[in-house]
């Protein structure tokens, strides 16, 4: 053993400096180089009592493996309406509702027998992809009262089929009076884990929202509460994968197993799903479309009966649009919609300053605490025209189409306020889209010369409280009795 001398510099000895720190030089000789195993601490062991360590991976090409997450789903419950595009809802006596306070509540009407329950599940399905973990996150809590015997709360991945029927396939957390458990169910064979260090119901205080996270890996499932590991469950060796179906929706469910008299409500404020550790390279618009944020989809809080629907614009499988005279400032409500089918009477040649007519218009809803404000990103627009009502006579009908957006009033004559004038308003921003024409003699049902199809490399952004409209000018035309222009407008884009 080497002798350590304070401040020494003798050969063959371990030396220290004047501050009594050991002088160390790393060897360049392979035989003298020690090895260190690298681990990272994912959890300190606050609940389990044992630190949760994971070792990183190095590729055959000597590179540290790294991963990128892809957001698959994200929703909050600030609205007073169920988002029926995202969520399917089934109940038996026990009901759920969204009171507009930031949560969806299970137990609005209490269940009292084993025949009572309710669930919500996404229409979107979430796949298992190779070795990539799937992370499912719930912000949940119990309110009004603690759960009692006979009440069950489930949240995770699975496909319930009835209000009190537990899914046969999937992974979820199960909360009862006995505490929190993890469940892996493979084609009707559930494996339930009461965690080594229990998580009792008393740990979930009434009136508090907790963050629950399930991370589903290829060989194990992790269960977390407020970023603390509660337990880990190994996937049964005979299964190979966590569940049989391959992909399943996210769900949440409350039901009774017997007669119950209680005032407990289970509340959820936010849900998120991510595919971890794999670079899918999905474009942001594609991700948003997958989460139900395509331009044609109503967003949280938007009511189709009070807000011009985006789900189909002005289209209807039964009622065709009614003929409307063009207007530059006060269009008929039949022209409302983010695209659709429309019918406008023919006009004479119009070169006036206000000659642009509103072909269709849509107001990006003004947000509130119950209507999520989103920017409407338009990436393209297409228009097709057909002659209707009468044969084109006397002169061709030539239409000049444009796009107007950003104005704070439906009128195309809306003015831009000056600098620091109270109550700022916006004039419409303009962009030409193209022209199409119907020649003299074009019969009823004859198509105009070409379809207008424009993509925007730099997207059009319509902010909350602003309008977007197509504009049309009869650059050449005759107001022939009964002649009409039947046209369709399609917008491509997404909500952000």
């Amino acid at each position: 053993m080497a002798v350590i001398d304070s401040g020494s510099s003798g050969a063959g000895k371990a030396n220290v400096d004047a501050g009594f720190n050991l002088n160390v030089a790393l060897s360049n000789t392979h035989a003298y180089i020690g090895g260190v195993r690298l681990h990272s601490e994912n959890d300190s062991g606050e609940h389990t009592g044992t630190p949760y360590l994971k070792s990183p991976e190095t590729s055959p090409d000597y590179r540290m493996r790294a991963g990128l997450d892809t957001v698959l789903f994200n929703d909050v419950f600030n609205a007073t309406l169920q988002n029926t595009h995202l969520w399917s809802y089934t109940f038996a006596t026990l009901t759920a509702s969204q009171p507009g306070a930031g949560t969806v509540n299970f137990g609005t009407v209490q269940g009292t027998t084993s025949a009572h329950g309710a669930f919500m599940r996404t229409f979107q399905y979430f796949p298992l992809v190779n070795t990539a973990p799937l992370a499912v996150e719930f912000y949940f809590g119990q309110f009004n009262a603690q759960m009692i015997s006979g009440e069950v709360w489930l949240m995770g991945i699975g496909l319930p089929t009835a209000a009190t029927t537990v899914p046969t396939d999937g992974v979820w957390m199960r909360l009862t009076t006995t505490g929190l458990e993890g469940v892996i169910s493979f084609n009707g064979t559930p494996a339930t884990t009461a965690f080594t260090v229990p998580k009792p119901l008393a740990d979930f205080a009434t009136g508090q929202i907790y963050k629950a996270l399930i991370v589903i890996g290829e060989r194990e499932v992790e269960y977390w509460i407020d970023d603390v590991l509660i337990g880990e469950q190994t996937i049964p060796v005979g299964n190979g994968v966590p569940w049989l179906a391959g992909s399943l929706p996210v769900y949440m469910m409350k039901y009774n197993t017997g007669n119950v008299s209680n005032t407990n409500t289970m509340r959820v404020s936010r849900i998120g799903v991510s595919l971890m550790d794999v670079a899918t390279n999905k474009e942001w618009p594609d991700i948003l479309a997958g989460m139900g944020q395509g331009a044609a989809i109503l967003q949280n809080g938007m009511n189709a009966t009070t807000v011009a629907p985006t789900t189909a614009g002005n289209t209807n499988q039964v009622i065709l649009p009614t003929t409307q005279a063009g207007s530059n400032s006060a269009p008929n409500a039949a022209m409302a919609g983010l695209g659709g089918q429309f019918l406008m009477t023919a006009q004479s040649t119009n070169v006036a300053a206000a000659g642009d007519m509103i072909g269709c218009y849509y107001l990006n809803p003004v947000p509130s605490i119950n209507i999520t404000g989103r920017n409407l990103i338009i990436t393209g627009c297409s228009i097709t025209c057909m002659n209707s009502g009468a044969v084109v006579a006397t002169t061709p009908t030539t239409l000049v189409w444009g796009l107007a957006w950003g104005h704070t009033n439906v009128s195309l004559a809306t003015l831009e306020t000056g600098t620091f004038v109270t109550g700022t308003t916006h004039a419409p921003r303009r962009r030409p889209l193209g022209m199409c024409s119907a020649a003299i003699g074009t019969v009823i049902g004859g198509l105009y010369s070409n379809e207008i199809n424009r993509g925007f490399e730099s997207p059009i952004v319509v902010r909350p409280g602003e309008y977007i409209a197509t504009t049309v000018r009869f650059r050449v035309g005759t107001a022939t009795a009964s002649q009409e222009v039947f046209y369709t407008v399609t917008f491509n884009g997404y909500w952000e």
Side-chain angles (χ1 to χ4, degrees), residues 255-441:
Y255 69 98
N256 299 333
T257 59
N259 292 337
V260 171
S261 177
N262 196 17
T263 59
N264 169 272
T265 62
M266 298 301 297
R267 302 185 185 182
V268 176
S269 63
R270 187 170 78 83
I271 293 177
V273 183
S274 295
L275 186 66
M276 303 173 67
D277 296 343
V278 58
T280 62
N281 297 319
K282 292 182 71 173
E283 297 288 341
W284 184 233
D286 297 341
I287 292 173
L288 292 175
M291 295 193 296
Q293 292 179 219
I297 308 303
L298 288 171
Q299 299 300 291
N300 282 344
M302 298 182 186
N303 189 336
T305 62
T306 57
V307 177
T310 62
T311 47
N314 197 35
T315 63
N316 189 294
Q317 63 178 352
V318 178
I319 303 172
L320 291 174
T322 56
T323 306
Q324 302 297 327
S327 173
N328 176 269
S329 59
N332 188 280
M335 297 299 192
L338 189 63
Q341 302 177 21
F342 306 93
L343 195 58
M344 184 181 293
T345 54
Q347 295 183 4
S348 299
T349 299
N350 192 335
V351 296
D356 285 334
M357 303 294 109
I358 296 171
C360 68
Y361 68 93
Y362 180 74
L363 171 65
N364 186 349
V366 177
S368 69
I369 58 171
N370 301 130
I371 299 177
T372 302
R374 295 194 186 279
N375 296 319
L376 177 58
I377 312 298
I378 299 298
T379 58
C381 179
S382 61
I383 302 171
T384 303
C385 299
M386 181 185 79
N387 184 54
S388 178
V391 174
V392 177
T394 310
T395 64
T397 302
T398 301
L399 308 178
V400 180
W401 288 92
L403 193 66
W405 76 95
H407 40 312
T408 49
N409 186 286
V410 68
S411 173
L412 296 179
T414 304
L415 299 177
E416 188 92 7
T417 52
T419 178
F420 290 104
V421 174
T422 187
T424 305
T425 61
H426 294 159
R429 283 63 176 146
R430 300 291 196 113
R431 186 163 184 173
L433 293 177
M435 294 176 282
C436 60
S437 183
I440 296 174

Side-chain angles (χ1 to χ4, degrees), residues 29-90:
T29 303
H30 188 272
Y32 298 149
I33 296 175
V36 176
R37 292 183 177 180
L38 178 63
H39 286 74
S40 62
E41 183 181 271
N42 286 9
D43 181 71
S44 65
E46 176 183 335
H47 178 79
T48 62
T50 304
Y52 188 51
L53 306 179
K54 290 285 189 180
S55 61
E57 297 181 25
T58 304
S59 76
D61 197 29
Y62 311 107
R63 291 175 293 181
M64 188 77 76
R65 181 180 176 182
L68 297 174
D69 295 350
T70 299
V71 177
L72 300 180
F73 183 81
N74 177 61
D75 196 25
V76 296
F77 298 96
N78 60 316
T80 58
L81 307 165
Q82 174 194 347
N83 188 327
T84 54
H85 178 81
L86 297 181
W87 293 99
S88 174
Y89 169 57
T90 298

Side-chain angles (χ1 to χ4, degrees), residues 229-252:
L229 182 68
I230 304 303
E232 185 179 27
Q233 187 177 14
T234 301
I235 294 169
V237 295
N239 293 354
V241 290
W243 62 76
L244 184 59
S247 66
L248 287 169
V250 164
Y251 82 102
M252 46 193 165

